[in-house]
Amino acid sequence: MISEHGAGRALIQGIGTALPPHRLCQDDVFAKIEASLREDPHALRWAKRIFKQCGVQVRYTCEEDFLKPADQCTYLSTDKQQAAPSTSKRMEVYRRESVPLAEKAAEEAMRDAGVEASGITHILTVSCTGQFLPGLDTALIHRLGLSARIQRIPLTFQGCAAGLRAIQLAQQIVSVSPAAMVLIVCVELCTIHLQPSGSREALFGASFFGDGASACIVSSGQADQQGGFELGGGHSALLPDSADEMIWEVGDTGFDLYLSPNIPKLLRTFLRDEVDRLLDGGALPPLWAIHPGGRGIVDAVQDLFGLEDSQTEFSRNVLRDFGNLSSATLLFVLKGMRERLRELGEGERSGVALAFGPGLTAELLRFTYVPSFVTKRESSYEYAGL
């Protein structure tokens, strides 16, 4: 637990995000899906419904193949005789594209926090859309000029909730070792796993997943830093009777995703108890950083807690403009929230961050937006009688 008087505090000092160069409009993606399903009218009707309701307008991809006409796009080919890219081919794309994208997000986070590479003591790398060895952490150490003796912690194949899990892990490190400075880097290339299939599972993934990277610096804070987020208590929970509701498996042509339509219903059933535990009976906070795993998930959280549209707009904006970026998404949400709060000149405001992944796993974390770490620290000293 974070002390409210400065001891053991952990702060998100800097945030960085990065997108690949290729922009995908939702209508263009659906046109390819429509062409690939012209002989399956039932699947096409389902695809129209999903694409209309998912809340996404634009996504980004590292794979230029998606910009080609439908009859030339190998990932969503209309030619039944044309083999989709193999898993090994997709992993080649992942290795080539993930590192520079992750590097860009990490560099922005370090600039935003005003820290040098020499000050980073730990690096947490997060991804579920690809693997290679030596890993992403090793590549980033060389490219960013980090210490060869840095502590490395990779979180792999843990899905959308892993970004918030990494933040909680970094918080624990900094709370125990106040001199630590943790770099978290999340990178996901979800589009390289899109499949030319009419199944509901494949169409869900095709409708809202995108590519992107995000990063942040977690530390005990520096006196000259502008404001950000102070991290509070948090926990993880496995929701009961839901292990089969979200599955991510390695297949011959990429990773195969199964998303149950029951997920929003399960959140409505079990999430309130977990949030009550997080808040220890306290009032609901004004700020909500919800991982936009899909429009239905944001709707479920908003309905369950009676939130205003202004409280979910940051999550909905990210879903609309970038899609679901798996583990990288929540830092996009927090970045947008921080920018708005700074523009409005808001004072301290409390919040809750929520993310969901396979398991079903729920990650929950309290945080406080602090407009100035200097002000926060001075007020803490005053409170302690110093």
Side-chain angles (χ1 to χ4, degrees), residues 74-138:
T74 59
Y75 286 81
L76 300 172
S77 176
T78 59
D79 184 357
K80 303 300 183 182
Q81 304 303 314
Q82 178 173 289
S86 66
T87 299
S88 62
K89 175 64 176 177
R90 296 172 197 243
M91 290 303 93
E92 289 177 14
V93 175
Y94 176 87
R95 181 167 188 163
R96 181 182 71 240
E97 301 292 342
S98 64
V99 175
L101 196 63
E103 179 187 16
K104 184 177 179 182
E107 289 178 335
E108 182 180 303
M110 293 165 64
R111 286 194 303 270
D112 188 42
V115 303
E116 301 292 334
S118 59
I120 305 297
T121 61
H122 298 68
I123 180 170
L124 276 65
T125 49
V126 185
S127 189
C128 69
T129 49
Q131 296 183 18
F132 63 89
L133 290 174
L136 176 65
D137 53 356
T138 301

Side-chain angles (χ1 to χ4, degrees), residues 19 22-27 29 54-61 207-211 317-325:
L19 296 165
H22 308 303
R23 186 174 185 268
L24 295 176
C25 293
Q26 192 74 331
D27 290 345
V29 178
C54 70
V56 177
Q57 294 182 10
V58 175
R59 289 173 283 166
Y60 292 81
T61 180
S207 71
F208 58 69
F209 277 108
D211 298 351
N317 289 348
V318 168
L319 183 64
R320 180 195 66 207
D321 297 337
F322 309 114
N324 180 349
L325 310 175

